[in-house]
Amino acid sequence: MLTSPAVLLAVLILIVATLYSTVGHGGASGYLAAMALMGVAPSVMKPTSLILNILVASIATMQFARSGHFRWRLLWPFAVASIPAAMLGGAMALPGSIYKPLIGVVLLASAWRLAMPMSVTATEREQRDPSLLLSSAIGAGLGLLSGLSGTGGGIFLSPILLLRGWASARQTAAVSAAFILVNSIAGLAGLLASGQPLPVELARWWIPWSLAAIAGGLIGSNLGARRIQAPVLRRLLAIVLLIAGAKLVAGAFGIG
């Protein structure tokens, strides 16, 4: 990777971390989108997104918890089932021909998630907790997907919590941040335990990329924990994910 693209990627990481952390997300799908648009190799994409996710999700979890929005009782059934599944997914090294279209689908789904209006939340109706069986099944599925793709699964957990009436918007952000954190740690642990080496590019640029993620996480989570999120920013982010996802899926079929 050339120096100038690496610096540009640090700027994009800062922007992505800021936007995503406002809603309690680590930003993995945004990092993957940025790396996909810049032609980064799959071997670099997965560990990089997991490490950046851990940094930003840690900050978001603390910020939302300090604001009193965290619900441990809601998180733990999802997390207990997701952790071993995320480790399994992280240990699986998919070839580029499979990994890229998988990430493309994840990005397209994430774009849809960000673009759709969240008009039905638990603040508009009585909150209720999911059954242990249902939350465990959801957690296991999202954990495996997060480990395979290098994401934290929060982008998919959030709409489930909101639309099912299991949490308010800020409670969803707090629970999703913690869910992303444990899944990203488990996915990275699985990757390292399987003997997959960390890429040279990550070793060379981890300091500026990490500092960019930390700065964005501090800014975004502080705003998100105390202010209402901006729908315009979410839709702009959805457009970026749509472009990157479409590029990866089209490339899988030899288009473009």
Side-chain angles (χ1 to χ4, degrees):
M1 183 181 297
L2 297 176
T3 301
S4 53
V7 173
L8 176 59
L9 185 54
V11 175
L12 294 176
I13 288 170
L14 172 63
I15 296 172
V16 168
T18 301
L19 295 178
Y20 270 77
S21 58
T22 61
V23 292
H25 292 169
S29 57
Y31 309 138
L32 291 171
M35 288 185 280
L37 290 172
M38 296 177 64
V40 176
S43 61
V44 179
M45 293 171 67
K46 184 173 179 178
T48 300
S49 64
L50 286 172
I51 291 173
L52 297 177
N53 237 20
I54 292 171
L55 294 173
V56 177
S58 298
I59 296 170
T61 299
M62 290 187 291
Q63 292 278 27
F64 281 96
R66 287 175 180 173
S67 299
H69 303 301
F70 183 71
R71 291 175 57 196
W72 168 254
R73 182 179 177 182
L74 180 60
L75 169 68
W76 77 260
F78 292 103
V80 168
S82 71
I83 289 172
M87 290 187 68
L88 176 62
M92 300 172 66
L94 299 177
S97 59
I98 297 177
Y99 181 76
K100 284 189 175 182
L102 171 65
I103 296 302
V105 172
V106 169
L107 295 182
L108 291 176
S110 300
W112 170 81
R113 150 72 179 97
L114 288 169
M116 73 177 187
M118 286 298 181
S119 57
V120 180
T121 71
T123 59
E124 299 170 353
R125 57 188 180 186
E126 184 181 355
Q127 290 184 17
R128 60 188 186 279
D129 291 333
S131 67
L132 180 61
L133 179 61
L134 178 58
S135 56
S136 298
I138 294 173
L142 295 183
L144 181 61
L145 177 62
S146 70
L148 284 171
S149 61
T151 63
I155 197 83
F156 302 107
L157 180 63
S158 293
I160 295 174
L161 295 178
L162 285 168
L163 297 177
R164 296 291 295 179
W166 293 336
S168 67
R170 286 199 173 95
Q171 288 172 347
T172 293
V175 171
S176 295
F179 184 77
I180 290 167
L181 175 59
V182 297
N183 279 335
S184 298
I185 292 174
L188 183 61
L191 184 149
L192 296 175
S194 68
Q196 300 177 54
L198 292 178
V200 175
E201 290 88 346
L202 182 57
R204 183 182 305 159
W205 288 98
W206 74 271
I207 292 180
W209 290 351
S210 297
L211 290 176
I214 291 171
L218 287 170
I219 296 169
S221 60
N222 183 58
L223 293 174
R226 295 168 176 81
R227 293 183 173 87
I228 299 175
Q229 63 199 41
V232 173
L233 294 179
R234 293 168 56 83
R235 288 177 173 80
L236 289 174
L237 194 56
I239 293 174
V240 175
L241 297 183
L242 177 63
I243 294 172
K247 176 184 177 182
L248 288 174
V249 172
F253 293 96
I255 304 173

